[in-house]
Amino acid sequence: MNFRYVAENPTGVVTDCLVCFVPQLEKIADPVLKQLDQGTRGAVSHLLKTGEFAAREGQSALLLTPEGFKAGRVVLIGLGDQKKIAPDTYRRAAGRAGTMSALTSAESVALLIPAKEKDIFQAVIEGYLLAGYRQREFKSGADAVDKTRTKNLVFVAPEKRLLKNIEAAVQRGRIIAEGQTLVRRLAGTPSTYLTPVLYTTQAQALAKEHGL
């Protein structure tokens, strides 16, 4: 998967799917949400009024082809009470988002994260990658096919000066997530297949890849 980092107005981000992480709402005050509400003829206001999406943790909403946005669709992911939001909140939210068909069917996904802390960006990529992991080597039929189409992941930063720190945080999170998925894969591999010789071979290959 290719990662890209931008600091620009989310309305101009060209992507199949724009994901907006949103703290709990009482009214629509965020400029991006206001533009999104206008571009969907009041859909965000309606979702808030009915309680279908008030950005509580665990809530999500899908909006198709909003006017004024270059994204083909927008997914809203609730974070819950602003005072209780922490990196783990974003990790859980990104995990939920990463399994949604609106994202897995998109070749390009952009993540709009309303935060500046690098720990939050690290948590997002960890949650996103770990939630999407499935061990398929020993599956058959449809279960053996990875239907995820996402090839490009774009991080939309609030300020250009943050891009280098965000990139470093995302790369750190990626390494941690890949390490965890490696452990999961090895733990889930039958011992009749993962013999000591094969295990050693994989360890040597991994060490060589990273110059150890």
Side-chain angles (χ1 to χ4, degrees):
M1 186 181 297
N2 300 313
F3 294 163
R4 189 162 63 90
Y5 310 87
V6 301
E8 59 184 81
N9 191 318
T11 60
V13 177
V14 179
T15 181
D16 295 327
C17 181
L18 174 65
V19 181
C20 300
F21 294 89
V22 186
Q24 190 165 325
L25 299 171
E26 292 183 0
K27 61 179 181 179
I28 301 175
D30 180 81
V32 175
L33 288 182
K34 285 184 176 180
Q35 288 177 288
L36 187 59
D37 194 44
Q38 294 173 358
T40 55
R41 299 181 180 181
V44 181
S45 295
H46 178 73
L47 290 170
L48 179 58
K49 182 179 179 180
T50 61
E52 186 176 346
F53 183 81
R56 299 184 184 91
E57 187 170 6
Q59 286 188 322
S60 62
L62 172 63
L63 302 169
L64 299 175
T65 58
E67 293 181 7
F69 284 72
K70 292 187 178 180
R73 51 188 177 270
V74 176
V75 173
L76 304 179
I77 301 292
L79 295 171
D81 188 344
Q82 176 73 64
K83 296 179 181 179
K84 297 179 180 179
I85 293 175
D88 275 343
T89 310
Y90 277 92
R91 186 178 285 106
R92 292 191 297 270
R96 288 191 294 272
T99 59
M100 294 176 65
S101 60
L103 276 72
T104 58
S105 63
E107 290 191 6
S108 174
V109 173
L111 304 176
L112 176 60
I113 302 166
K116 299 180 181 180
E117 298 84 353
K118 60 183 181 180
D119 289 351
I120 287 178
F121 284 84
Q122 178 180 327
V124 166
I125 192 60
E126 287 176 13
Y128 183 89
L129 293 177
L130 290 172
Y133 171 73
R134 298 290 184 275
Q135 187 164 12
R136 304 182 187 278
E137 295 97 321
F138 306 100
K139 301 291 185 179
S140 60
D143 291 336
V145 180
D146 185 1
K147 297 180 181 179
T148 302
R149 298 180 59 200
T150 308
K151 297 178 181 178
N152 300 292
L153 197 60
V154 182
F155 289 84
V156 184
E159 299 176 25
K160 189 174 182 179
R161 65 180 180 86
L162 300 173
L163 290 179
K164 287 186 177 180
N165 286 340
I166 288 172
E167 182 175 358
V170 170
Q171 290 304 321
R172 177 179 172 81
R174 178 188 62 79
I175 291 169
I176 291 172
E178 288 179 354
Q180 290 187 36
T181 55
L182 172 62
V183 172
R184 290 182 183 182
R185 181 171 63 81
L186 293 175
T189 301
S191 58
T192 52
Y193 179 83
L194 188 61
T195 63
V197 173
L198 288 177
Y199 189 92
T200 302
T201 300
Q202 290 203 17
Q204 290 174 336
L206 186 63
K208 183 177 180 181
E209 179 183 350
H210 294 281
L212 300 177

